[in-house]
């Protein structure tokens, strides 16, 4: 019995930075690496990378294609294809051989959408579409459907900030509360912002004193709890990146 030498290529994917959290419009470098763990050269390796929602699908750019420290980008066709999701085709020429135990690493750059939402988990995946046992059509064609992925996140919104003046009040004296939502602006869009404040016993809202100083106009409503006007709801469908909702009551 003669064992036939064959190539074997799994896929690995990573983020080419120490951080995994990125904000709207920020660039992200992904690295896809494939190693020939077989016993024969692999030719014409084709990688398919799928960009999920939240990653801009118009500006993917190749940074490098390396085998060790050797630049092999001249052998690579890097071609993003628009769609949902966007696919990046990374196709090495049929005469490009990846020898046994060699690894080729392709690094490319994308950017998050300007309106990507806060507190999102974004998974970028890739797999091997095809590789050959010979640089001509007479060679055997292989594929590897195993998905390799890398995960990034967007920052979540911080808690709101709340201040009161005066901090000590007499019976019948008015007290002003100031709010900032979120407490620290984040570079991602916030959606379905909902604020609720219910006063403790002994206090009641002055409906006429609500002052929203933000450039946005959220809906607001006072309601009755325990037979007094002591609940305030403020709702905003969307708060753009780097903006905050501020108001006093």
């Amino acid at each position: 019995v003669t064992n036939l030498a064959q190539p074997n290529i799994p896929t690995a994917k990573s983020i080419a930075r120490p951080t995994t959290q990125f904000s709207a419009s920020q660039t992200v470098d992904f690295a896809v690496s494939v190693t020939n763990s077989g016993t024969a050269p692999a030719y014409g390796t084709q990688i398919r990378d799928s960009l999920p929602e939240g990653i801009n699908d118009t500006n993917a750019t190749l940074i490098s294609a390396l085998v060790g420290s050797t630049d092999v980008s001249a052998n690579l066709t890097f071609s993003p294809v628009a769609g949902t999701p966007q696919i990046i085709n990374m196709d090495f020429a049929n005469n490009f051989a990846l020898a046994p135990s060699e690894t080729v690493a392709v690094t490319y750059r994308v950017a998050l959408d300007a309106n990507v939402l806060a507190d999102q988990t974004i998974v970028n995946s890739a797999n091997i579409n095809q590789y050959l046992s010979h640089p001509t059509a007479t060679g055997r064609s292989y594929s590897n459907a195993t998905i390799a992925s890398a995960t990034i996140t967007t920052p979540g919104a911080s808690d709101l900030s709340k201040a009161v003046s005066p901090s000590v009040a007499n019976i019948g004296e008015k007290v002003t509360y100031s709010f900032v939502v979120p407490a620290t602006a984040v570079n991602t869009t916030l959606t379905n912002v909902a604020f609720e404040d219910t006063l403790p016993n002994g206090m009641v809202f002055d409906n006429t004193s609500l002052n929203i100083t933000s450039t946005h106009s959220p809906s607001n409503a006072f309601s009755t709890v325990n037979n007094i006007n002591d609940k305030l709801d403020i709702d905003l469908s969307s708060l753009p990146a780097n903006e905050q909702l501020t108001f006093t009551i």
Side-chain angles (χ1 to χ4, degrees), residues 2-7 38-41 133 142:
T2 300
N3 290 324
L4 180 64
Q6 298 184 76
T39 55
S133 64
Y142 304 80

PDB file of all heavy atoms in Angstrom, residues 2-7 38-41 133 142:
ATOM      1  N   THR A   2       0.611   2.164  -0.910  1.00  0.00           N
ATOM      2  CA  THR A   2       1.378   3.398  -0.997  1.00  0.00           C
ATOM      3  C   THR A   2       0.529   4.548  -0.494  1.00  0.00           C
ATOM      4  O   THR A   2      -0.617   4.742  -0.950  1.00  0.00           O
ATOM      5  CB  THR A   2       1.809   3.683  -2.451  1.00  0.00           C
ATOM      6  OG1 THR A   2       2.604   2.592  -2.903  1.00  0.00           O
ATOM      7  CG2 THR A   2       2.603   4.973  -2.521  1.00  0.00           C
ATOM      8  N   ASN A   3       1.055   5.297   0.466  1.00  0.00           N
ATOM      9  CA  ASN A   3       0.340   6.462   0.966  1.00  0.00           C
ATOM     10  C   ASN A   3       0.581   7.633   0.026  1.00  0.00           C
ATOM     11  O   ASN A   3       1.723   7.963  -0.303  1.00  0.00           O
ATOM     12  CB  ASN A   3       0.819   6.821   2.371  1.00  0.00           C
ATOM     13  CG  ASN A   3       0.393   5.792   3.399  1.00  0.00           C
ATOM     14  OD1 ASN A   3      -0.702   5.242   3.292  1.00  0.00           O
ATOM     15  ND2 ASN A   3       1.250   5.516   4.370  1.00  0.00           N
ATOM     16  N   LEU A   4      -0.500   8.249  -0.435  1.00  0.00           N
ATOM     17  CA  LEU A   4      -0.401   9.364  -1.359  1.00  0.00           C
ATOM     18  C   LEU A   4      -0.177  10.655  -0.590  1.00  0.00           C
ATOM     19  O   LEU A   4      -0.953  10.990   0.319  1.00  0.00           O
ATOM     20  CB  LEU A   4      -1.680   9.471  -2.193  1.00  0.00           C
ATOM     21  CG  LEU A   4      -1.738  10.604  -3.228  1.00  0.00           C
ATOM     22  CD1 LEU A   4      -0.668  10.389  -4.300  1.00  0.00           C
ATOM     23  CD2 LEU A   4      -3.123  10.661  -3.854  1.00  0.00           C
ATOM     24  N   ALA A   5       0.872  11.367  -0.931  1.00  0.00           N
ATOM     25  CA  ALA A   5       1.132  12.661  -0.281  1.00  0.00           C
ATOM     26  C   ALA A   5       0.074  13.663  -0.731  1.00  0.00           C
ATOM     27  O   ALA A   5      -0.189  13.820  -1.924  1.00  0.00           O
ATOM     28  CB  ALA A   5       2.527  13.159  -0.658  1.00  0.00           C
ATOM     29  N   GLN A   6      -0.544  14.338   0.240  1.00  0.00           N
ATOM     30  CA  GLN A   6      -1.609  15.287  -0.069  1.00  0.00           C
ATOM     31  C   GLN A   6      -1.449  16.543   0.788  1.00  0.00           C
ATOM     32  O   GLN A   6      -0.950  16.489   1.917  1.00  0.00           O
ATOM     33  CB  GLN A   6      -2.989  14.677   0.224  1.00  0.00           C
ATOM     34  CG  GLN A   6      -3.323  13.458  -0.596  1.00  0.00           C
ATOM     35  CD  GLN A   6      -4.734  12.993  -0.301  1.00  0.00           C
ATOM     36  OE1 GLN A   6      -5.722  13.580  -0.751  1.00  0.00           O
ATOM     37  NE2 GLN A   6      -4.831  11.919   0.471  1.00  0.00           N
ATOM     38  N   PRO A   7      -1.906  17.682   0.277  1.00  0.00           N
ATOM     39  CA  PRO A   7      -1.929  18.895   1.095  1.00  0.00           C
ATOM     40  C   PRO A   7      -3.123  18.868   2.043  1.00  0.00           C
ATOM     41  O   PRO A   7      -4.105  18.157   1.817  1.00  0.00           O
ATOM     42  CB  PRO A   7      -2.079  20.015   0.061  1.00  0.00           C
ATOM     43  CG  PRO A   7      -2.826  19.377  -1.066  1.00  0.00           C
ATOM     44  CD  PRO A   7      -2.371  17.932  -1.100  1.00  0.00           C
ATOM     45  N   GLY A  38      -0.360  19.200   5.561  1.00  0.00           N
ATOM     46  CA  GLY A  38      -0.273  17.954   4.822  1.00  0.00           C
ATOM     47  C   GLY A  38       1.159  17.585   4.490  1.00  0.00           C
ATOM     48  O   GLY A  38       2.125  18.138   5.046  1.00  0.00           O
ATOM     49  N   THR A  39       1.294  16.671   3.546  1.00  0.00           N
ATOM     50  CA  THR A  39       2.619  16.153   3.180  1.00  0.00           C
ATOM     51  C   THR A  39       2.999  16.488   1.745  1.00  0.00           C
ATOM     52  O   THR A  39       4.028  16.022   1.239  1.00  0.00           O
ATOM     53  CB  THR A  39       2.637  14.632   3.358  1.00  0.00           C
ATOM     54  OG1 THR A  39       1.554  14.047   2.609  1.00  0.00           O
ATOM     55  CG2 THR A  39       2.504  14.254   4.832  1.00  0.00           C
ATOM     56  N   ALA A  40       2.184  17.321   1.085  1.00  0.00           N
ATOM     57  CA  ALA A  40       2.473  17.748  -0.282  1.00  0.00           C
ATOM     58  C   ALA A  40       2.119  19.230  -0.406  1.00  0.00           C
ATOM     59  O   ALA A  40       1.320  19.758   0.383  1.00  0.00           O
ATOM     60  CB  ALA A  40       1.675  16.914  -1.287  1.00  0.00           C
ATOM     61  N   PRO A  41       2.685  19.938  -1.402  1.00  0.00           N
ATOM     62  CA  PRO A  41       2.368  21.359  -1.569  1.00  0.00           C
ATOM     63  C   PRO A  41       0.893  21.576  -1.896  1.00  0.00           C
ATOM     64  O   PRO A  41       0.239  20.736  -2.523  1.00  0.00           O
ATOM     65  CB  PRO A  41       3.263  21.784  -2.744  1.00  0.00           C
ATOM     66  CG  PRO A  41       4.338  20.765  -2.806  1.00  0.00           C
ATOM     67  CD  PRO A  41       3.719  19.479  -2.347  1.00  0.00           C
ATOM     68  N   SER A 133      -3.939  20.137  -5.507  1.00  0.00           N
ATOM     69  CA  SER A 133      -2.754  19.293  -5.299  1.00  0.00           C
ATOM     70  C   SER A 133      -1.725  19.477  -6.403  1.00  0.00           C
ATOM     71  O   SER A 133      -0.607  18.973  -6.304  1.00  0.00           O
ATOM     72  CB  SER A 133      -3.164  17.817  -5.230  1.00  0.00           C
ATOM     73  OG  SER A 133      -3.713  17.400  -6.474  1.00  0.00           O
ATOM     74  N   TYR A 142      -9.479  20.492  -3.446  1.00  0.00           N
ATOM     75  CA  TYR A 142      -9.914  20.288  -2.062  1.00  0.00           C
ATOM     76  C   TYR A 142     -10.654  21.545  -1.578  1.00  0.00           C
ATOM     77  O   TYR A 142     -10.477  22.637  -2.114  1.00  0.00           O
ATOM     78  CB  TYR A 142      -8.722  20.059  -1.125  1.00  0.00           C
ATOM     79  CG  TYR A 142      -7.809  18.926  -1.487  1.00  0.00           C
ATOM     80  CD1 TYR A 142      -6.837  19.089  -2.475  1.00  0.00           C
ATOM     81  CD2 TYR A 142      -7.875  17.711  -0.822  1.00  0.00           C
ATOM     82  CE1 TYR A 142      -5.965  18.051  -2.798  1.00  0.00           C
ATOM     83  CE2 TYR A 142      -7.001  16.666  -1.140  1.00  0.00           C
ATOM     84  CZ  TYR A 142      -6.050  16.847  -2.130  1.00  0.00           C
ATOM     85  OH  TYR A 142      -5.189  15.833  -2.438  1.00  0.00           O
TER      86      TYR A 142
END
